[in-house]
Amino acid sequence: MLFAKIQSVLLALAAARSVFAHTTFTTFYVDGVDQGPGVAMRMNKTPANASFPVQNLASSDMACGFDGTEGVARVQPVKDGSTLTFEFHSWANDYSKPSLDPGHKGPCAVYLKKVNSAINDTGVGDGWFKLWDDGYDEVNDEWCTDRMISNNGRMSIVLPSDLQGGYYLVRPELVALHNATKGDPQFYIGCAQIFLQSSGNLEPESTVSIPGYVKAGEESVSFNIYYNPDNKTYPVPGPAVAKLKAGAATTQKTQDEGLKPAGCILEKANWCGYEVPSYTDEAGCWASAKNCWAQDTTCWTPYSPTGGANCEIWETKCNGLNDACNAKQFTGPPNKGKDLTPTYTTIAIGLVLPTSTVAGAASSFSSQAVVAAAGVSGGGGSSGVVYSTPAGKATGAVGGYAASSSPVPTEKPGLEVTTVFETVVKTEWEYVTVYQSQGQGQKVRRGRRGGARR
Ligand SMILES: *[C@@H]1O[C@H](CO)[C@@H](O)[C@H](O)[C@H]1NC(C)=O
Ligand SMILES: *[C@@H]1O[C@H](CO)[C@@H](O)[C@H](O)[C@H]1NC(C)=O
Ligand SMILES: *[C@@H]1O[C@H](CO)[C@@H](O)[C@H](O)[C@H]1NC(C)=O
Ligand SMILES: *[C@@H]1O[C@H](CO)[C@@H](O)[C@H](O)[C@H]1NC(C)=O
Ligand SMILES: [Cu+2]
């Protein structure tokens, strides 16, 4: 007789209290399509403090954020001229929470760095160039952060066509200035690892080093946004938006690192799930169930800031294997090789921001025809609106922004942000112990905690 007993054990309960609802880069869309939780993204690895800002401008954390010097397994292929969208949330695993507390006001920018390896490069040092930035809009009294909030926490750029193909780190940056006068500008940074499929030859005229491109005390990071009579004089941090020039032809035309591994039927951050071995008998069935649960353990460990949604999908598969073995269906696995990747959100891109221009050429990016992706979900806000800033360094008032209602500030001039968000990060997963009675009644524990059993 065969039976299986599944025990659910609340394994971990981690509580975290955060004084401020900060924010973090949680979701990377290419041409409006979500690339999956943490896939090809460098994020702070500790869920409890994933949204904390970088405050030391001389720190190497300025490049790709906390834990950002270490690459992740995947590199996202991106077509020439693709639209990249960076979505921010105050809680990386809970999209019902606001993208950013409206008390955070300041500029934002997107930088690129061409690298030999999107996985190995630490991001620290020279080579960065700015594709786009945005500061204060006098007409609507809006900061870039205000516009991001009303655009579902997203900033989108269209990659200039004909950039040199190859590997890049792409770095969204958002700065909160509410405490800047006290020497405490807050930088929210992340990086995505991409392979640009382009045969172009455009490269930036000049690049900067990160850290180093902005220094503590500079006006861009010490500006008083509450008492300054003239916000429109606000100078955004960092270099001007890079001018592009013809450079060397693309040498790296084919992606050879960070591809989704063959046989990967579900992915999450650095994890991939693979089909379990095929079987034709009872022992094989349980061995494959065990294989599945072992992969489940590696899905949950480490617990990623974006949560465990895909691990839960994987557990459905493992439970299905348990059920099949219990039902004496000893030929399997069921649905062999089926790709379990859920249909990720496709967004209406909404605001798209004009990017670098080719030296000497008139800006052609302000009128980019950006087609909102089909199958829209999770849209809202100012969908389909394209707004334009002049080429070059956007330092002040810009007409033509999509009008949107200003968020209600949570701060008063001279006061500190008082909003307190409290959260409990609850990590729950199952340890499964399967008991199998065989023949003479000896019990064999076939749990995912057991040693390798082949
Ligand atoms: C986040 O928490 C981890 C673990 O406690 C710690 O090592 C790390 O320094 C923290 N990072 C930040 C940015 O606070
Ligand atoms: C990246 O590092 C890995 C492991 O050290 C190495 O095998 C690979 O060749 C490196 N890739 C590049 C492009 O440097
Ligand atoms: C400057 O920006 C802040 C924050 O948005 C706003 O409260 C203030 O009214 C602005 N100052 C002026 C003079 O418009
Ligand atoms: C503002 O910065 C000061 C100095 O670093 C710090 O003591 C204070 O906690 C900060 N306040 C806020 C609201 O971040
Ligand atoms: Cu904050």
Side-chain angles (χ1 to χ4, degrees), residues 207-289:
T207 61
V208 295
S209 175
I210 302 182
Y213 73 124
V214 55
K215 296 191 175 57
E218 279 176 14
E219 194 180 10
S220 64
V221 292
S222 61
F223 197 84
N224 187 333
I225 60 168
Y226 298 110
Y227 294 122
N228 203 300
D230 209 4
N231 286 343
K232 72 175 193 288
T233 64
Y234 174 72
V236 294
V241 168
K243 288 271 196 295
L244 304 176
K245 64 176 169 69
T250 293
T251 50
Q252 177 93 40
K253 295 206 168 95
T254 318
Q255 182 172 353
D256 58 3
E257 68 169 15
L259 290 158
K260 188 170 176 173
C264 174
I265 55 176
L266 183 65
E267 62 181 339
K268 184 212 77 170
N270 270 335
W271 176 87
C272 260
Y274 297 92
E275 186 54 277
V276 300
S278 295
Y279 51 85
T280 52
D281 59 16
E282 180 173 357
C285 191
W286 288 109
S288 285

Side-chain angles (χ1 to χ4, degrees), residues 23-351:
T23 195
T24 192
F25 168 41
T26 59
T27 322
F28 179 46
Y29 301 85
V30 176
D31 294 322
V33 182
D34 186 350
Q35 298 302 302
V39 173
M41 290 170 61
R42 297 189 185 180
M43 299 179 77
N44 185 343
K45 290 177 182 153
T46 310
N49 58 21
S51 68
F52 283 22
V54 177
Q55 286 155 298
N56 176 359
L57 308 193
S59 150
S60 56
D61 296 331
M62 284 293 279
C64 287
F66 298 110
D67 302 325
T69 56
E70 202 181 317
V72 293
R74 291 266 285 104
V75 176
Q76 198 59 48
V78 163
K79 293 190 176 61
D80 190 17
S82 278
T83 300
L84 307 183
T85 302
F86 311 93
E87 185 172 295
F88 283 68
H89 281 277
S90 48
W91 297 105
N93 65 351
D94 186 351
Y95 288 13
S96 70
K97 297 288 196 308
S99 56
L100 177 64
D101 184 293
H104 294 67
K105 293 192 186 301
C108 27
V110 174
Y111 289 78
L112 273 185
K113 178 181 181 174
K114 184 121 181 0
V115 292
N116 290 327
S117 163
I119 298 175
N120 294 2
D121 196 287
T122 62
V124 177
D126 195 12
W128 290 99
F129 60 102
K130 190 189 267 180
L131 273 185
W132 161 82
D133 64 16
D134 188 18
Y136 177 73
D137 163 26
E138 188 189 23
V139 175
N140 297 304
D141 181 23
E142 281 183 337
W143 290 87
C144 182
T145 49
D146 296 325
R147 283 191 287 274
M148 271 193 65
I149 291 168
S150 47
N151 193 46
N152 302 307
R154 297 175 189 141
M155 54 172 113
S156 299
I157 52 147
V158 178
L159 285 173
S161 295
D162 289 326
L163 273 175
Q164 271 170 356
Y167 298 106
Y168 288 84
L169 296 174
V170 51
R171 172 185 179 277
E173 171 190 278
L174 195 156
V175 187
L177 295 170
H178 56 274
N179 203 26
T181 52
K182 292 188 185 142
D184 177 34
Q186 303 181 350
F187 279 69
Y188 299 94
I189 305 148
C191 282
Q193 301 176 170
I194 62 170
F195 178 79
L196 179 60
Q197 298 167 330
S198 165
S199 51
N201 68 345
L202 292 182
E203 61 182 24
E205 282 188 340
S206 62
T207 61
V208 295
S209 175
I210 302 182
Y213 73 124
V214 55
K215 296 191 175 57
E218 279 176 14
E219 194 180 10
S220 64
V221 292
S222 61
F223 197 84
N224 187 333
I225 60 168
Y226 298 110
Y227 294 122
N228 203 300
D230 209 4
N231 286 343
K232 72 175 193 288
T233 64
Y234 174 72
V236 294
V241 168
K243 288 271 196 295
L244 304 176
K245 64 176 169 69
T250 293
T251 50
Q252 177 93 40
K253 295 206 168 95
T254 318
Q255 182 172 353
D256 58 3
E257 68 169 15
L259 290 158
K260 188 170 176 173
C264 174
I265 55 176
L266 183 65
E267 62 181 339
K268 184 212 77 170
N270 270 335
W271 176 87
C272 260
Y274 297 92
E275 186 54 277
V276 300
S278 295
Y279 51 85
T280 52
D281 59 16
E282 180 173 357
C285 191
W286 288 109
S288 285
K290 188 179 151 194
N291 173 302
C292 188
W293 289 109
Q295 293 192 60
D296 184 58
T297 302
T298 60
C299 186
W300 286 105
T301 319
Y303 188 73
S304 47
T306 48
N310 280 12
C311 304
E312 283 159 16
I313 291 173
W314 188 256
E315 288 185 357
T316 306
K317 178 182 177 66
C318 302
N319 282 321
L321 280 164
N322 280 1
D323 292 346
C325 300
N326 282 326
K328 303 194 195 310
Q329 288 156 7
F330 297 136
T331 302
N335 306 314
K336 182 175 157 68
K338 186 181 179 204
D339 193 316
L340 301 177
T341 308
T343 305
Y344 291 126
T345 313
T346 299
I347 52 164
I349 291 165
L351 297 177

